[in-house]
Amino acid sequence: MSAKIKTRPWDAAEHLRDEEDIRRYIEAALEEAPDDASFLAAVLGDVARAQNMAKLSRDTGIARETLYKVMRGEGNPTLETVGKMAKALGFRLTLTPIKRETPVTKKPVAARKAVRKRKSAVQDTVEILTSKAKKKPAPIVRRVAGG
């Protein structure tokens, strides 16, 4: 006779007990899929369910039904929606530089000189135009006879 094993779906929200757990969960998610807004919204949804979904709805101004829809991966959440969710949960979205696989090469010397030449020509033109605009016309002096 074989015993049946009962299973239930794993829910990340049940394991997010404190701020450190939440921080690590979000960091891991960002490493896993940094460019996937739907995934990030789902992760923030797990954090919201671990805390208080009604409070998140009030703080973001987004209806609970909409938040649940975003967290299920339905639709395509905007950066604004994800940003509001993150802010209401006490986080800030940031951009970090990534290491390039190919090094950035410098422009050839001739190209750099040509760019400098164009810049200086534009600056000269701007200076001429602004100096002409600043100059006031010289006052006209008239001599009066007998004076």
Side-chain angles (χ1 to χ4, degrees):
M1 184 173 174
S2 66
K4 285 194 170 188
I5 298 174
K6 290 185 178 181
T7 62
R8 63 185 185 127
W10 187 79
D11 185 8
E14 293 175 7
H15 303 280
L16 300 174
R17 294 182 182 93
D18 58 21
E19 288 184 20
E20 184 66 17
D21 291 343
I22 292 169
R23 184 186 62 77
R24 287 183 179 170
Y25 180 62
I26 290 174
E27 283 178 358
L30 288 172
E31 286 178 18
E32 182 71 28
D35 302 333
D36 189 349
S38 295
F39 181 68
L40 184 56
V43 166
L44 292 174
D46 291 340
V47 173
R49 284 187 299 107
Q51 293 181 348
N52 185 342
M53 185 61 81
K55 183 179 182 311
L56 177 65
S57 178
R58 281 191 306 272
D59 292 348
T60 60
I62 301 170
R64 284 178 65 173
E65 295 78 24
T66 304
L67 289 173
Y68 282 116
K69 186 177 178 181
V70 167
M71 291 182 303
R72 285 191 304 264
E74 297 175 9
N76 188 11
T78 63
L79 182 60
E80 180 183 12
T81 301
V82 175
K84 282 181 180 181
M85 290 174 69
K87 185 176 181 182
L89 293 168
F91 292 90
R92 177 184 320 145
L93 297 179
T94 60
L95 298 174
T96 55
I98 56 175
K99 292 183 180 180
R100 297 179 186 262
E101 291 181 18
T102 57
V104 177
T105 58
K106 290 186 175 182
K107 292 181 182 177
V109 174
R112 289 195 308 259
K113 285 182 180 178
V115 169
R116 271 191 239 125
K117 199 177 216 181
R118 282 193 301 256
K119 283 183 181 177
S120 67
V122 169
Q123 288 171 342
D124 291 344
T125 305
V126 169
E127 286 175 11
I128 291 169
L129 293 174
T130 54
S131 67
K132 283 183 179 178
K134 289 180 182 177
K135 286 185 180 177
K136 295 181 182 175
I140 300 174
V141 180
R142 294 187 185 168
R143 294 193 171 228
V144 180

